[in-house]
Amino acid sequence: MKHIRNFCIIAHIDHGKSTLADRLLDFTGSVTEREKQEQLLDSMDLERERGITIKSHAIQMNFPYNGEEYVLNLIDTPGHVDFSYEVSRSIAACEGALLVVDAAQSIQAQTISNLYLALENDLEIIPVLNKIDLPSANPEEVTDDIVDLLGCDPDEIIPASAKTGLGIEEILKAIIERVPAPTGKVDAPLRALIFDSVYNPFRGVETFFRVINGSIKKGQKIKFVNTGKNYFADEVGTLRLKQFPQKEIKTGDVGYLITGIKDAREVKVGDTITDAENPTTEAVAGFEDVKPMVFAGIYPVDTEDYEELRSCMEKLQLNDASLVFQPESSAALGFGFRCGFLGMLHLEIIQERLEREFDMTVITTVPNVSYYAYSNKEPNEIILVNNPTDLPEPSKLDRVEEPFIKATIITKADFVGPVMSLCIEKRGEIVNQTYLTPERVELTFNMPLAEIVFDFYDRLKTVSKGYASFDYAPIGMKASKLVKVDVLLNGNTVDALSALLHVDNAYDIGKRMCEKLKELIPRQQFDIPIQAAIGAKIIARETVKALRKDVTAKCYGGDISRKRKLLEKQKKGKKRMRAVGNVEIPQEAFMAVLKLND
């Protein structure tokens, strides 16, 4: 066990985690010349194109040092805030972490939040200053920032460049010297932590785990503690670039397990594996079911593709257990699904994967969050509102609670004003303001999650000229004055455009929605009123004027009453038309509601 080192790489998005992992693999000879490629551990096309890591990846390397062979288990983690639960489980499986900071961009919001996660788990932190070969790098200043943040010695920070391979050997030596070897009881009952799982269409779910106590053998009967199900370990092994089956994975090591499970929902990240005959008494702490934060409707463009969309969603769920969906129907869009996502990036990725991997073109409705509505008839009745149409009548409502988050924004001192006004406009309350350096400020706000799922991130980048980094964590539910704003077209409610909004913003957003729809809805033979309403009260109205046919063209000269007669006849026709008229809503209209500020 003393020759095993388990470590992960934590950093903000785009600070060079995956490239650093590539160099470590090259240096230790874990990959051959033929297998080498950029972002080696990012196996999905989407990850490569966008340059982001979506799934955690584990890989084992061997490194000889002082005449002894060491086994290094690297767990590469996603940098994006949407996948922070997965990052927290990966961190729990390690004893050390490489904290990678970009020498050109310095410390960002996610670096700090991931660092706190690592410190909570008592990890040994090795700071790495990456990208020092860039012309825009500022190593001295960033070194001072890291020293202030960690309270470490400047000599402990390893300057490196993952692109050129500078400093890679020092990083590997630091891992062996500074990261403690795993501790665990070899003779205790099996206790292992699941930190990731992937779905293999031929072999079922492959579970990645770290053994804390005991060992896991091939053919052993095992049990998952939180789901309470028993399985046989058909195959266990270590993770190189390919999987290497072994007879036994011992205490402190990381490996994979194949049990032939066909349903990815049975394997939960953070669960504990133990022996079925001789189970452990204590599960690994920190397990939680992943809760979706953002909800949106996904509908097929053609209603006939509904069943096909269902099978695509089920296949996608096998690979991504944090996607939750249930069928729903909408008067405007027909049959579709109500889906839960971890955040806006997750929603974008799912939408893109549906289009790429399954050739499904879909319509996504306005994303929203889930609220708790309390009824005033039965005191303790809580109604979960995922969709604005689920909200009870105002007369039956006691109060509505919405999820709040703690948002951490790090920006340059010049942009504090614009960033603050943006957060206050989004109903944020400032909690703290800290100057990390004379040039860089950390702002902490409590904000409603609903306000950030729209366009918050884009606008934050705009007001700070791209210099702000943003990170958030949920802090629970708070009561808010929320109302349901409906959009009526020609007197009919369009349920796909309904939204739950705060009272203060309802009039303004209602008016802007009507104006936007007026531009997008094509003119008909009759007037179309577009109205925004709260309950029965109309708060805004725009009218799409009718296309007018000139019926009086054939009257030249003569009495005015002839013209009037024709116009009256036309008026009656228009009235009748409007009563039976159906307004087609173009697909752009659903997306336009998201971009009210443009």
Side-chain angles (χ1 to χ4, degrees), residues 107 127 141-155 157:
I107 291 163
E141 195 179 308
V142 180
T143 303
D144 293 343
D145 291 354
I146 299 174
V147 170
D148 289 347
L149 180 68
L150 287 176
C152 62
D153 230 286
D155 310 340
I157 300 168

Side-chain angles (χ1 to χ4, degrees), residues 440-460:
R440 298 163 61 73
V441 188
E442 180 184 23
L443 299 166
T444 313
F445 283 89
N446 285 348
M447 292 172 78
L449 179 65
E451 295 288 345
I452 67 156
V453 298
F454 267 4
D455 55 354
F456 179 76
Y457 197 61
D458 296 343
R459 285 186 62 198
L460 179 68

Side-chain angles (χ1 to χ4, degrees), residues 5 21 24 52 125 134 179 220 236 241 406 442 534 537 586:
R5 297 288 183 273
L24 292 171
I52 55 174
I125 310 287
L134 288 184
V179 174
Q220 184 177 352
V236 293
L241 204 53
K406 177 183 171 198
E442 180 184 23
I534 298 174
K537 184 181 176 189

Side-chain angles (χ1 to χ4, degrees), residues 307-358:
E307 281 306 322
E308 198 184 328
L309 179 62
R310 177 195 287 274
S311 77
C312 296
M313 298 283 275
E314 281 166 358
K315 283 177 190 159
L316 199 52
Q317 198 177 33
L318 292 173
N319 261 327
D320 187 347
S322 45
L323 168 68
V324 186
F325 65 90
Q326 60 195 59
E328 74 163 359
S329 64
S330 145
L333 299 171
F335 290 105
F337 294 97
R338 183 95 196 137
C339 309
F341 307 96
L342 299 174
M344 289 302 280
L345 177 81
H346 192 206
L347 181 149
E348 252 178 76
I349 285 165
I350 295 290
Q351 202 176 340
E352 190 123 337
R353 284 181 73 181
L354 279 170
E355 284 182 13
R356 283 188 182 202
E357 295 171 25
F358 305 102

Side-chain angles (χ1 to χ4, degrees), residues 409-411 430 432-437 440-444:
I409 298 166
I410 294 181
T411 185
I430 187 153
N432 199 354
Q433 177 179 357
T434 322
Y435 276 81
L436 302 171
T437 69
R440 298 163 61 73
V441 188
E442 180 184 23
L443 299 166
T444 313

Side-chain angles (χ1 to χ4, degrees), residues 10-256:
I10 53 178
H12 190 75
I13 307 156
D14 208 22
H15 279 203
K17 288 190 297 301
S18 299
T19 317
L20 181 63
D22 291 352
R23 290 298 84 75
L24 292 171
L25 293 173
D26 290 351
F27 194 86
T28 54
S30 306
V31 285
T32 59
E33 282 298 323
R34 202 184 57 176
E35 292 166 330
K36 272 185 198 174
Q37 56 179 20
E38 289 295 307
Q39 287 175 269
L40 187 70
L41 294 179
D42 294 348
S43 47
M44 233 185 284
D45 296 344
L46 205 58
E47 291 183 312
R48 299 178 161 283
E49 268 170 45
R50 290 188 168 214
I52 55 174
T53 306
I54 296 168
K55 294 286 294 168
S56 293
H57 299 274
I59 192 158
Q60 194 174 76
M61 304 175 275
N62 288 24
F63 183 60
Y65 181 65
N66 289 351
E68 293 184 11
E69 188 81 17
Y70 284 87
V71 174
L72 310 178
N73 289 311
L74 157 67
I75 300 172
D76 185 22
T77 58
H80 205 278
V81 60
D82 285 6
F83 309 109
S84 54
Y85 173 64
E86 214 168 280
V87 176
S88 75
R89 296 338 299 137
S90 301
I91 285 176
C94 298
E95 277 83 32
L98 293 180
L99 179 75
V100 179
V101 179
D102 185 330
Q105 295 180 44
S106 190
I107 291 163
Q108 304 284 325
Q110 250 150 311
T111 321
I112 292 182
S113 75
N114 286 344
L115 171 68
Y116 287 152
L117 268 177
L119 291 172
E120 276 169 29
N121 284 287
D122 292 337
L123 262 62
E124 179 63 41
I125 310 287
I126 299 174
V128 175
L129 189 57
N130 197 14
K131 303 192 189 181
I132 59 164
D133 58 323
L134 288 184
S136 59
N138 195 343
E140 293 82 13
E141 195 179 308
V142 180
T143 303
D144 293 343
D145 291 354
I146 299 174
V147 170
D148 289 347
L149 180 68
L150 287 176
C152 62
D153 230 286
D155 310 340
E156 287 175 28
I157 300 168
I158 303 170
S161 164
K163 196 163 70 178
T164 60
L166 176 77
I168 299 299
E169 191 174 354
E170 285 75 30
I171 291 174
L172 286 163
K173 285 178 182 169
I175 290 167
I176 290 172
E177 286 169 7
R178 296 195 218 166
V179 174
T183 54
K185 300 174 186 135
V186 183
D187 46 5
L190 168 65
R191 178 166 169 244
L193 165 74
I194 299 176
F195 61 84
D196 196 16
S197 67
V198 293
Y199 181 75
N200 179 331
F202 306 107
R203 315 191 63 184
V205 180
E206 297 172 356
T207 309
F208 301 149
F209 62 87
R210 146 82 200 269
V211 183
I212 294 169
N213 290 340
S215 69
I216 184 166
K217 300 180 184 68
K218 186 181 173 175
Q220 184 177 352
K221 192 178 182 190
I222 52 163
K223 176 184 177 182
F224 288 4
V225 174
N226 287 298
T227 55
K229 298 195 172 173
N230 291 356
Y231 306 98
F232 282 99
D234 297 341
E235 185 183 306
V236 293
T238 51
L239 293 148
R240 297 290 166 95
L241 204 53
K242 297 185 176 62
Q243 296 171 340
F244 278 87
Q246 308 276 4
K247 289 207 166 52
E248 182 177 20
I249 303 285
K250 299 191 169 125
T251 313
D253 214 344
V254 172
Y256 71 92

